[in-house]
């Protein structure tokens, strides 16, 4: 809950399950012989643009034409409108001085902004060009403009320590609904003063590869908040630890994990399910 800054280890009872008939109908129109199509891959993102009936696919890992393991930096659009019936088209970089993450990334996050005009990409990893068993991680923010079909690399402000480099995290956009409870000592601002009733990108978990001998990978369970109006990482009070007491009740905090699912439930709540570190997890928060 982004307002009370608390985790709940339970599933709310008023969540409606999506109708499976939509997905059955959706995939019944797929033409597998259509050309061109994206190469097979994993760790890519697929962002649904409901208004235009499109899915934007970016990045991921797979095999190139030489059979080498690579990270893709290409973008594809699947049009599932009634007239086009699942046709693929490749989105190419515009000529000129435009940014494009050509080296690509995988196991990143990609979230459609509430106005359906942009996709916000964060983090991810890229297969090392010198060693296919090693990955290069990042903590960059890219914004893809769906009107001009160009990438933007904005200046990000830091009112709090930004998230470390990572991949396999989960993210979703929530409404602040009255403002986030944050520590304002470093901002010279009062509590709930930033971007009230605005939208924020919340980033949870993830991991980074540890290349040192006999060292395990680093997993995260922190939650970071990016204000979408000011493009600033906000200081949020997630300081409570598992087992502490608050108003007589024990505080629960999710364990470190990667590749969990995270979706918005309503304006200021999200659901995190599964993921894992050294073992798969069944928890929902």
């Amino acid at each position: 809950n982004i307002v009370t800054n608390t985790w709940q280890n339970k599933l709310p009872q008023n969540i409606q399950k999506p109708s499976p008939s939509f997905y059955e109908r959706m995939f019944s129109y797929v033409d597998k012989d259509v050309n061109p199509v994206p190469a097979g891959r994993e760790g890519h993102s697929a962002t649904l643009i409901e208004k235009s009936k499109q899915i934007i696919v970016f990045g991921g890992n797979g095999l190139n034409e030489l059979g080498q393991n690579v990270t893709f930096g290409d973008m594809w659009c699947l049009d599932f409108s009634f007239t086009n019936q699942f046709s693929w088209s490749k989105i190419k970089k515009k000529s000129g001085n435009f940014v494009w993450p050509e080296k690509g990334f995988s196991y990143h996050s990609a979230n459609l902004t509430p106005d359906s005009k942009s996709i916000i990409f964060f983090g991810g990893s890229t297969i090392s060009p010198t060693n296919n068993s090693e990955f290069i991680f990042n903590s960059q923010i890219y914004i893809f403009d769906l009107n001009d079909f160009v990438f933007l690399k904005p200046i990000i402000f830091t009112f709090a320590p930004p998230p470390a480099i990572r991949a396999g995290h989960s993210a979703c956009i929530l409404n602040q609904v009255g403002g986030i409870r944050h520590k304002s000592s470093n901002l010279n601002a009062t509590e709930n003063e930033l971007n009230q009733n605005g939208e924020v990108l919340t980033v949870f978990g993830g991991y980074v590869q540890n290349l040192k001998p006999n060292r395990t990978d680093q997993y995260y369970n922190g939650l970071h908040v990016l204000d979408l109006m000011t493009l600033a990482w906000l200081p949020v009070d997630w300081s409570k630890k598992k087992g502490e007491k608050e108003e007589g009740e024990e505080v629960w905090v999710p364990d470190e994990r990667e590749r969990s699912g995270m979706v918005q439930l309503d304006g200021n709540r999200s659901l995190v399910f599964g993921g894992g570190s050294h073992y798969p997890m069944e928890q929902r928060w």
Side-chain angles (χ1 to χ4, degrees):
N1 189 314
I2 200 70
V3 172
T4 61
N5 298 334
T6 56
W7 292 100
Q8 294 176 307
N9 190 9
K10 61 182 180 180
L11 180 65
Q13 299 299 314
N14 58 348
I15 304 302
Q16 295 182 352
K17 296 182 179 179
S19 172
S21 61
F22 168 79
Y23 300 100
E24 294 171 355
R25 186 171 65 253
M26 179 177 178
F27 288 104
S28 66
Y29 289 109
V30 174
D31 182 358
K32 296 181 180 179
D33 296 326
V34 70
N35 190 40
V37 296
R41 63 193 65 199
E42 63 173 359
H44 55 282
S45 59
T47 309
L48 172 66
I49 317 296
E50 179 63 29
K51 290 183 178 180
S52 58
K53 305 300 181 185
Q54 295 174 323
I55 297 176
I56 303 297
V57 174
F58 180 77
N61 298 329
L63 299 178
N64 62 11
E65 296 177 350
L66 300 177
Q68 301 168 325
N69 290 318
V70 296
T71 300
F72 295 110
D74 55 354
M75 178 175 283
W76 294 79
C77 175
L78 177 65
D79 190 326
F80 62 92
S81 62
F82 181 78
T83 54
N84 289 309
Q85 295 188 2
F86 287 81
S87 60
W88 284 103
S89 59
K90 187 175 183 179
I91 301 174
K92 298 181 179 180
K93 177 183 177 181
K94 285 188 175 181
S95 59
N97 190 25
F98 292 104
V99 176
W100 189 283
E102 297 182 8
K103 293 183 179 180
F105 30 78
S106 60
Y107 297 103
H108 53 281
S109 58
N111 297 91
L112 182 69
T113 56
D115 59 10
S116 298
K117 293 182 179 180
S118 304
I119 301 174
I120 301 178
F121 294 89
F122 170 74
S125 61
T126 305
I127 294 177
S128 171
T130 58
N131 188 337
N132 285 345
S133 64
E134 296 181 359
F135 296 86
I136 301 170
F137 293 78
N138 80 83
S139 60
Q140 299 292 326
I141 290 282
Y142 286 92
I143 298 178
F144 187 74
D145 189 317
L146 291 169
N147 292 324
D148 296 330
F149 281 77
V150 294
F151 272 101
L152 306 172
K153 193 175 182 181
I155 297 174
I156 303 298
F157 299 93
T158 54
F159 292 143
I165 57 174
R166 67 191 62 204
H169 54 279
S170 53
C172 72
I173 292 177
L174 298 177
N175 299 322
Q176 291 192 23
V177 189
I180 291 181
R181 184 175 65 190
H182 57 76
K183 298 177 180 178
S184 59
S185 59
N186 296 327
L187 297 173
N188 296 318
T190 59
E191 187 171 313
N192 298 339
E193 189 170 299
L194 290 177
N195 190 12
Q196 294 192 21
N197 300 316
E199 288 84 21
V200 294
L201 175 70
T202 57
V203 176
F204 170 73
Y207 91 107
V208 63
Q209 187 181 37
N210 194 329
L211 299 179
K212 295 181 180 180
N214 302 321
R215 296 291 296 274
T216 58
D217 295 341
Q218 174 69 52
Y219 295 88
Y220 300 108
N221 69 339
L223 193 145
H224 299 267
V225 177
L226 179 72
D227 186 304
L228 296 186
M229 182 177 68
T230 61
L231 290 180
W233 292 108
L234 299 182
V236 182
D237 185 4
W238 299 100
S239 58
K240 300 225 171 12
K241 300 295 188 296
K242 184 175 181 180
E244 291 184 4
K245 300 287 185 178
E246 184 177 82
E247 297 181 358
E249 295 186 5
E250 188 174 357
V251 175
W252 290 90
V253 178
D255 294 327
E256 295 85 354
R257 68 190 67 197
E258 62 160 333
R259 304 185 192 184
S260 58
M262 186 179 192
V263 295
Q264 181 186 30
L265 296 181
D266 49 30
N268 56 37
R269 295 189 303 165
S270 61
L271 172 67
V272 174
F273 176 76
S277 53
H278 305 291
Y279 57 91
M281 300 176 180
E282 298 178 350
Q283 302 166 335
R284 50 183 182 263
W285 296 84

